[in-house]
Amino acid sequence: TGEVSWLARGRLAIAQSPTAVVFDRELQVVSRFRWPAEDAALVGSTAFGVHRNGRLVSAKLPSGPTRLVRRLPGWPEVIVSARG
């Protein structure tokens, strides 16, 4: 599993536990940092993800670092980004 996101300036991010990688237009690695979530949802230039134990994490792209946002109740498995 994992999530691919297009970023500003033609960059590409791949977030898949245990690492997130950001590439430039030529697919050269711009940054790499720890990503504990299985998937990601992009909101602006911030990636959000849910770890299996219910931790909501985020990372400001392109370089992170990953930080804990909060612990969610229950057993969340999916995260989505929706305009509202």
Side-chain angles (χ1 to χ4, degrees), residues 33-36 57-59 63-68:
F33 56 92
R34 188 179 73 77
W35 184 252
V57 296
S58 71
S63 59
T66 303
R67 70 177 193 87
L68 176 65

Side-chain angles (χ1 to χ4, degrees), residues 41-43 80-84:
L42 188 64
V43 178
V80 297
S81 173
R83 186 180 289 182

Side-chain angles (χ1 to χ4, degrees), residues 3-84:
E3 189 68 33
V4 176
S5 301
W6 288 106
L7 307 175
R9 297 187 302 227
R11 292 181 174 176
L12 176 74
I14 299 175
Q16 180 178 0
S17 183
T19 305
V21 183
V22 177
F23 300 92
D24 65 14
R25 290 179 189 266
E26 287 77 38
L27 297 179
Q28 300 296 315
V29 174
V30 173
S31 68
R32 180 185 316 259
F33 56 92
R34 188 179 73 77
W35 184 252
E38 294 299 320
D39 293 313
L42 188 64
V43 178
S45 62
T46 303
F48 291 89
V50 177
H51 188 274
R52 277 177 262 166
N53 67 4
R55 290 181 297 162
L56 177 65
V57 296
S58 71
K60 189 79 166 164
L61 299 177
S63 59
T66 303
R67 70 177 193 87
L68 176 65
V69 176
R70 73 177 307 145
R71 175 116 166 90
L72 300 173
W75 298 98
E77 293 184 21
V78 177
I79 187 165
V80 297
S81 173
R83 186 180 289 182

